[in-house]
Amino acid sequence: MAHGRKISVTGLGYVGLPVAVAFGKSERVVGFDVNAQRVAELKAGHDRTHEVADADLAAADVLYTCNAEDLRAADFHIVAVPTPIDDAKQPDLGPLRAASRSVGAQLKRGDIVVFESTVYPGATEEDCVPVLEAASGLRCGSDFTVGYSPERINPGDREHTFTRITKVVSGQDAATLEVVAQVYESVVTAGVHRAATIKVAEAAKVIENTQRDLNIALMNELALIFDRMGIDTRDVLAAAGTKWNFLPFSPGLVGGHCIGVDPYYLTHKAAMLDYYPQVILAGRRINDGMGQHIAAQIVKSLIRRGESVHDALVTVLGLTFKENVPDLRNTKVIDIVHALEDYGIAVQVHDPMADADEARHEYGIELVSAGALRPARCVVLAVAHDDYVRDGWVGVTGLLERGEGVVVDVKGVLPREARPAEVLLWRL
């Protein structure tokens, strides 16, 4: 342990747990979370997010705790709590401020607090530091210091893991930056990048996903245009992709805790400075509207087949925000469900990865088991879980009445050449 610091991690979700486990493989780490059920599960040796294998949990020396006083044993505090948006699409710093109060109450002279949560530039020093000072009675800069190192976790990605992604690090002064760099270098094999300032590191994080959001928005807008032309968007992208510098983005639903959220942090800060972004918000509007577009195409497809829309039953396969993860945060599949219900269409949802209690609590959705699904007039393959892709057309048509009806392939994973003659296929 060349850096000589004692580590704590506050927030043991998709981001914080891999961080705690990575450090815990070489030293004792305090892992703090306010969710008692989450802590109990981790103590029992299982991560329900599937980001950390049971064997890796067992190999790490982590004190999982709900008692904030345990944070006092550490002097290098990593904060990795969610930073969502509210119903008005404004940043919700509630969890971050609460975590800052918990950590601040245990701060000692000489401690360093590093934030990993996605924020707008300036939030660490302008929003978090005052909370830390108020809770600790200490002064930032003289008694303790802060840094920022943006998370780059991609849920479900087994290749780009915490230790294999270059870590951007920053500190409020040169000495703090060096300590932060040394701490992360001890576990991140991909190395670190020292950002010029904390604000630079915050801005770098928020534009990474803003850039992806805009690229996907372009593909979605093209899909809207090509659909009116009767052209298959994925055929167009396959042809254009033969050029060496064409970027490989595809249309789709943009949900989750990053791409569909982070741009609003940047636009919020810009508005505070009397600049009102045009391009970024235009991209957000396009991406946020794709669920409605897909629902409208479902209705049109049912009508083309001569179906009575109000009598139709639609089966939606997949509710999580992306394939092969149980994460339901900010899923845009729910937009399809709600839009169909607004049309008066009955919907049943199946997802082998999602937690039924969470689906019920967050969205009022009662997940239906595979064996209990009723034959439908339309099946929507919304999330490309491996189970669905492996079953292919056989799995999808087996859910249709008499094996015929409408199939909507949002991700474009079903081979068109194998489409049964009795099926009307629409894909984004």
Side-chain angles (χ1 to χ4, degrees), residues 113-342:
V113 183
V114 178
F115 294 90
E116 289 209 2
S117 306
T118 301
V119 292
Y120 46 73
T124 297
E125 292 155 298
E126 297 164 12
D127 295 276
C128 298
V129 165
V131 177
L132 291 172
E133 290 181 327
S136 66
L138 301 176
R139 195 142 178 94
C140 186
S142 56
D143 297 325
F144 70 92
T145 56
V146 297
Y148 182 78
S149 181
E151 61 91 0
R152 282 175 163 172
I153 296 295
N154 183 26
D157 191 334
R158 300 295 175 252
E159 179 182 355
H160 302 97
T161 57
F162 169 65
T163 61
R164 297 175 182 172
I165 307 171
T166 301
K167 200 79 169 81
V168 174
V169 296
S170 64
Q172 70 181 95
D173 54 46
T176 301
L177 172 60
E178 196 54 39
V179 174
V180 173
Q182 288 176 5
V183 169
Y184 281 108
E185 281 174 333
S186 70
V187 293
V188 178
T189 56
V192 304
H193 172 86
R194 291 166 171 79
T197 65
I198 288 176
K199 286 184 179 179
V200 166
E202 292 168 327
K205 167 58 183 176
V206 81
I207 71 164
E208 289 174 10
N209 286 321
T210 299
Q211 182 187 67
R212 285 184 56 76
D213 192 43
L214 286 171
N215 276 296
I216 298 171
L218 173 60
M219 298 301 106
N220 278 334
E221 186 162 56
L222 292 175
L224 295 174
I225 295 170
F226 293 146
D227 186 69
R228 296 189 177 200
M229 296 179 176
I231 301 173
D232 188 284
T233 303
R234 295 177 193 276
D235 285 345
V236 176
L237 294 179
T242 59
K243 189 179 181 185
W244 71 91
N245 60 354
F246 188 82
L247 300 178
F249 287 92
S250 300
L253 298 171
V254 183
H257 66 291
C258 287
I259 300 178
V261 171
D262 295 359
Y264 288 118
Y265 276 76
L266 184 57
T267 58
H268 171 79
K269 185 65 174 181
M272 291 172 63
L273 300 171
D274 290 328
Y275 180 82
Y276 298 94
Q278 305 296 312
V279 175
I280 297 173
L281 289 176
R284 282 279 74 236
R285 285 192 294 272
I286 292 170
N287 287 342
D288 279 347
M290 293 310 291
Q292 289 278 353
H293 170 67
I294 293 169
Q297 297 309 311
I298 293 169
V299 172
K300 290 179 181 179
S301 297
L302 286 168
I303 293 172
R304 288 192 191 103
R305 275 194 55 89
E307 302 288 349
S308 172
V309 172
H310 289 290
D311 295 333
L313 173 65
V314 174
T315 296
V316 174
L317 298 179
L319 182 61
T320 62
F321 91 88
K322 67 179 292 189
E323 63 274 7
N324 303 319
V325 300
D327 196 346
L328 290 173
R329 286 177 297 174
N330 195 36
T331 176
K332 292 303 176 182
V333 178
I334 196 65
D335 292 351
I336 301 176
V337 175
H338 287 163
L340 289 174
E341 291 173 340
D342 285 344

Side-chain angles (χ1 to χ4, degrees), residues 393 415-425:
W393 277 110
R416 283 178 303 168
E417 63 276 9
R419 177 185 63 83
E422 303 81 11
V423 169
L424 172 63
L425 171 66

